[in-house]
Structure formats: structure tokens, C-alpha cells
Amino acid sequence: MVQLIDSDIRTREVLGWEGLHIFHGRMSSCSQKLRIFLNLKGIEWQGHEMDLAASETYTDWFLGINPRGLVPVVVWDGAVHIESNDILALLDETFPDPCLIPPDRAEEIATLLRQEDDLHLDLRTLSFRFVLGRTGSNKTPAQLAHYRDFEARVAGAPDRERRDHELHFYERLADQGLPDDAMRISAAKFRTAFDDLERRLETSPYFLGAAISVLDIAWYVYATRLHLGGYPFARLHPRVHAWREGLAEDERFAREVLPPVPLQETIARNHAEWARTGMTFADVVGI
Ligand SMILES: N[C@@H](CCC(=O)N[C@@H](CS)C(=O)NCC(=O)O)C(=O)O
């Protein structure tokens, strides 16, 4: 579990806040996962929506609560928590009904959630091109330099995770854009992961068996994002397709992953254009 210590938190005003505050992004997959989780538990929270397209998480104020510059962040009665999967574990312990992380399977779930987290930058790669329709980075050189120069400390030590993953992702994006090869590599990882999910769904309605768990939430978010991008679920993974459609009938799931209307229009326009030019998800990644 990643734990911030007092000296990591430079935006001191939040330490006096009461209640459950969530910093999140409308189209952030980790935030969507957390919001669905909160909906299923019926937990009340106060939202602080961040504009990720404008890199609002790269300001000194926000880096002062999460030195990694990422959402979601939870400020709960003055304690600051980062890393979505750690946040979910903490909330499940405190609000056990309905149980979404059964204690007897907690270790297995932690391993499977780590695998999901490892695919996060692959999801971002595919989303940027096929959902958000970007061709390059949304960060200005000045924003990236500010982020690079910020002395991030997590658990009292310089933060390697942030340097290794986030900076590498955005520096490569600035250099290379979003090439077809990167799409194929990321899509192949998801195909393998969804093949595994397809096998699990042969014998049970949900990822871990008869009851819904946090893994269904996490993979619903990923599957829906890729579905928006044009991943051919019905053809490649029919059980996953049916499982996702089933969960999408529940408003507590569906409303959290719905893009804002202007983005829905952009997605529709882009998909029509890509169908015309042979540059859809399936064309580019060859599935
Ligand atoms: N491992 C982190 C990943 C968080 C993450 O990557 N958040 C993304 C949104 S899903 C973000 O804040 N991105 C900001 C940016 O790319 O500028 C977690 O699970 O909380």
C-alpha cells in the first residue's frame, strides 16, 4: 500500500478538511472505478472535478496533495490517500456492505488489481487515440518541465514510480506521438487479458464467481473504454461482451463511464471518419 506521510503533503490546507472529498476526473478510468464503487456502497462524498485535458493535476496546489499528479485522490477527515486500488481496499474495510473485496480472497484480488493497474498506460495509449482522438500530447513543454522539476516525495522518499512511468509516457508521447505500433502492442496485452476473463466467465457470471466484486468494476471500466474506442468485443470475446452489456444496464455503472456530450459527438465524428479512411481500431491493430 502506498502511504503518504505528513511531510509529503505540501498543500497543508486539506489537512483541516472534514468528510470524504474525492479529487477525480470525469473520463479518468481510475476515477470511474472509484465512483462506481462508491455508488454500489451508497457512500456520500464531496467531489472536486479536475480538468485533465488542461493538466490541472500538474499545478503546485495539486502536486502538494498528490506528488504523482494523478487522480483519484481522497482526502478523508484530513488524511490524504492516493492510488485507486489502495483507496478501494481502505473503503471496503470501513464500509463493508456490500462486500466487494471478500477478505478470504483479498490477496488474490490485490494481485489481479495490480495486473489491471499495470495495463493503465496501455489503456491511456489506446484511449488517447481512439476515444479522445488525440494525435499527440496534451501537455505543453512548460507543464512537463514543471512536473519533471517538482521534487516529488512519497512515503518520505523520492518517487521513482512517478518518474519512471508518468514522465516516460509523456516524454515518449511528445517525441513519437501515438504510432500504430504502440496501438498494436497495447491492444495485444488487452486481448490476452480479455481471453483470461472470457475463460473465467465460462463457469461463473462474474470475474470471481457468483458475486460481483471490485474486479468486475475495474474491468467494466476498462472494457467500456475500449468498447468506446471500437475494440471488437462481440467478435473476440462474446462472454465479456455480454457481461459488460449486463453491467451497463445498471445506472450506478453506466452513468460513470458516459462521456460528456461534446466528447460523444467528437467520438461519433472520428469513428465515421476512421471508417471512411480504414483507420478504425480494428484496422490499425489488425483484429
Ligand atoms: N496507479 C494510479 C493511476 C492513476 C492515474 O494514472 N490517473 C490518471 C487518470 S486515470 C491521471 O490522473 N492522469 C493525469 C494525466 O495523465 O495528466 C491509481 O490507480 O490511482
Side-chain angles (χ1 to χ4, degrees):
M1 183 171 280
V2 178
Q3 197 75 56
L4 293 179
I5 63 167
D6 189 71
S7 60
D8 299 334
I9 301 158
R10 305 210 197 142
T11 301
R12 307 296 294 177
E13 68 190 75
V14 302
L15 302 181
W17 290 7
E18 286 177 6
L20 184 61
H21 295 259
I22 314 271
F23 289 84
H24 64 112
R26 173 82 184 265
M27 286 301 289
S28 142
S29 59
C30 299
S31 304
Q32 293 175 341
K33 175 176 65 176
L34 175 57
R35 293 196 304 260
I36 294 171
F37 187 93
L38 291 161
N39 288 347
L40 296 190
K41 297 249 178 207
I43 301 170
E44 299 275 320
W45 52 283
Q46 199 169 319
H48 304 262
E49 190 173 330
M50 307 302 285
D51 183 346
L52 297 190
S55 297
E56 227 183 328
T57 59
Y58 278 27
T59 59
D60 279 338
W61 194 94
F62 189 84
L63 290 168
I65 56 167
N66 185 356
R68 294 182 174 167
L70 299 170
V71 285
V73 173
V74 164
V75 179
W76 194 357
D77 289 336
V80 182
H81 304 273
I82 64 169
E83 287 303 324
S84 59
N85 291 332
D86 292 345
I87 292 168
L88 298 180
L90 178 74
L91 288 170
D92 203 66
E93 252 176 63
T94 317
F95 301 96
D97 190 29
C99 175
L100 296 170
I101 307 182
D104 59 332
R105 302 191 73 174
E107 241 175 72
E108 179 189 0
I109 290 176
T111 306
L112 292 167
L113 283 178
R114 251 194 313 277
Q115 287 167 6
E116 173 252 5
D117 192 39
D118 286 345
L119 288 172
H120 190 81
L121 293 184
D122 294 293
L123 187 80
R124 197 188 285 170
T125 299
L126 294 165
S127 290
F128 272 19
R129 178 149 167 192
F130 293 113
V131 179
L132 302 177
R134 288 187 187 148
T135 51
S137 181
N138 60 320
K139 312 273 185 232
T140 64
Q143 283 169 332
L144 207 51
H146 183 67
Y147 183 74
R148 190 184 303 114
D149 295 343
F150 185 85
E151 275 183 45
R153 295 181 82 79
V154 168
D159 186 34
R160 285 205 16 232
E161 164 98 13
R162 164 182 177 276
R163 206 169 303 276
D164 290 354
H165 293 275
E166 290 300 314
L167 273 176
H168 179 69
F169 177 86
Y170 280 110
E171 284 170 349
R172 208 181 52 175
L173 189 58
D175 283 352
Q176 300 171 12
L178 293 157
D180 292 359
D181 268 358
M183 300 304 127
R184 284 192 276 272
I185 291 168
S186 292
K189 292 186 198 172
F190 279 107
R191 194 168 176 181
T192 305
F194 284 117
D195 279 343
D196 176 52
L197 187 46
E198 184 78 6
R199 273 191 297 277
R200 287 171 182 268
L201 295 175
E202 268 170 29
T203 48
S204 63
Y206 297 110
F207 202 174
L208 284 188
I212 202 160
S213 78
V214 68
L215 287 164
D216 296 286
I217 300 174
W219 282 100
Y220 169 79
V221 169
Y222 274 17
T224 301
R225 178 65 57 84
L226 293 172
H227 168 73
L228 280 175
Y231 187 101
F233 278 106
R235 180 158 54 81
L236 293 183
H237 318 284
R239 285 191 185 85
V240 175
H241 176 69
W243 160 89
R244 198 200 70 78
E245 302 255 300
L247 291 177
E249 282 172 19
D250 184 335
E251 259 302 293
R252 295 170 302 173
F253 280 78
R255 69 167 182 259
E256 301 304 345
V257 293
L258 191 68
V261 172
L263 179 57
Q264 288 178 34
E265 289 166 0
T266 305
I267 293 172
R269 254 196 324 273
N270 283 340
H271 281 261
E273 174 64 10
W274 292 331
R276 203 178 60 73
T277 54
M279 295 296 280
T280 64
F281 182 99
D283 296 324
V284 171
V285 306
I287 51 177

